[in-house]
Amino acid sequence: GAVVSQHPSRVICKSGTSVKIECRSLDFQATTMFWYRQFPKKSLMLMATSNEGSKATYEQGVEKDKFLINHASLTLSTLTVTSAHPEDSSFYICSARDPANMGNEKLFFGSGTQLSVL
Amino acid sequence: TQLLEQSPQFLSIQEGENLTVYCNSSSVFSSLQWYRQEPGEGPVLLVTVVTGGEVKKLKRLTFQFGDARKDSSLHITAAQPGDTGLYLCAGADNQGGKLIFGQGTELSVKP
């Protein structure tokens, strides 16, 4: 089945540094990927929709300059948290849609990245 | 804006009990999905319901989509400790196909 790989699974960084998270579709081409943020035992909040070859679409309230998204190829999207601060600490999850699968809404999720900013 | 209200948000039961989780909206969704998530991992898809009134069964789990495609329920029979986790419902946005998630239900099944 379709697999989405997310890396790293856990990162600890100092306040003010930037962190890059990668999301790869391993056996399918994903023209669209989604980035979510999740707080402990809470639901997933959609941050942005990443479109291959074009600018990402951000949800209301999400800072574009803070959370940089690049979708340079059909199998890779990256989320960079710039100048991270403790309030950015969270679980970040990516997902991708496999257009070849039945049901256009079916998403495959990465395993998530736990970001801790000290 | 389409919203999904999921309830209850927390549920702690004994092994062998039955439970139902509800997912409600004032909006119509083209499809609705249920996910289960373990701590530190991404959500795993359990089922997708598409047709109003549809009922799907996955072993001890029964999923139902409302006739009007605005609500759904997840019923677990004879819950086991292995069912413990965060259960999420998600509806497909009618504009652009984004998934909108409910608040989640944290289920704890005690032996």
Side-chain angles (χ1 to χ4, degrees):
Chain A
V3 176
V4 174
S5 174
Q6 188 172 339
H7 179 80
S9 58
R10 182 178 293 272
V11 58
I12 301 172
C13 69
K14 292 182 179 180
S15 184
T17 61
S18 294
V19 175
K20 179 184 284 188
I21 303 171
E22 293 186 347
C23 182
R24 294 179 185 274
S25 56
L26 297 186
D27 53 0
F28 66 97
Q29 293 183 331
T31 54
T32 303
M33 290 186 176
F34 302 92
W35 286 96
Y36 294 85
R37 183 173 179 175
Q38 186 178 32
F39 292 101
K41 299 187 178 181
K42 296 294 184 183
S43 189
L44 280 70
M45 294 171 44
L46 181 63
M47 299 174 64
T49 302
S50 172
N51 303 298
E52 187 270 335
S54 64
K55 291 183 179 180
T57 304
Y58 289 81
E59 295 300 301
Q60 191 173 10
V62 178
E63 298 177 58
K64 300 178 183 181
D65 296 331
K66 175 74 172 176
F67 299 99
L68 298 178
I69 291 174
N70 185 280
H71 196 153
S73 77
L74 286 171
T75 59
L76 174 65
S77 175
T78 60
L79 167 67
T80 301
V81 183
T82 62
S83 186
H85 290 284
E87 57 266 30
D88 298 325
S89 298
S90 189
F91 194 58
Y92 293 87
I93 309 175
C94 70
S95 67
R97 178 180 293 133
D98 180 2
N101 256 282
M102 276 180 54
N104 196 33
E105 301 88 3
K106 186 171 185 177
L107 291 182
F108 297 92
F109 285 85
S111 54
T113 298
Q114 182 63 53
L115 171 63
S116 299
V117 185
L118 304 178
Chain B
T1 303
Q2 294 176 288
L3 294 174
L4 273 171
E5 296 288 336
Q6 189 172 341
S7 63
Q9 293 190 33
F10 299 96
L11 193 54
S12 180
I13 61 172
Q14 292 296 129
E15 182 177 3
E17 293 184 10
N18 302 331
L19 67 113
T20 302
V21 178
Y22 300 92
C23 193
N24 297 295
S25 176
S26 59
S27 306
V28 175
F29 289 94
S30 58
S31 68
L32 201 139
Q33 301 177 352
W34 286 92
Y35 292 84
R36 179 166 172 264
Q37 184 181 20
E38 304 256 8
E41 298 182 9
V44 175
L45 180 66
L46 296 174
V47 77
T48 300
V49 285
V50 179
T51 307
E54 182 176 6
V55 176
K56 281 190 174 180
K57 291 192 175 184
L58 187 65
K59 295 183 180 179
R60 293 177 292 101
L61 279 60
T62 301
F63 305 87
Q64 186 164 5
F65 202 13
D67 292 340
R69 290 186 291 133
K70 293 182 179 181
D71 55 86
S72 181
S73 64
L74 157 60
H75 183 79
I76 301 179
T77 303
Q80 299 177 0
D83 296 327
T84 294
L86 179 67
Y87 290 82
L88 296 156
C89 65
D93 189 309
N94 291 331
Q95 301 172 355
K98 295 183 296 187
L99 272 188
I100 297 169
F101 282 84
Q103 299 98 322
T105 296
E106 184 71 29
L107 172 65
S108 174
V109 182
K110 299 179 180 178

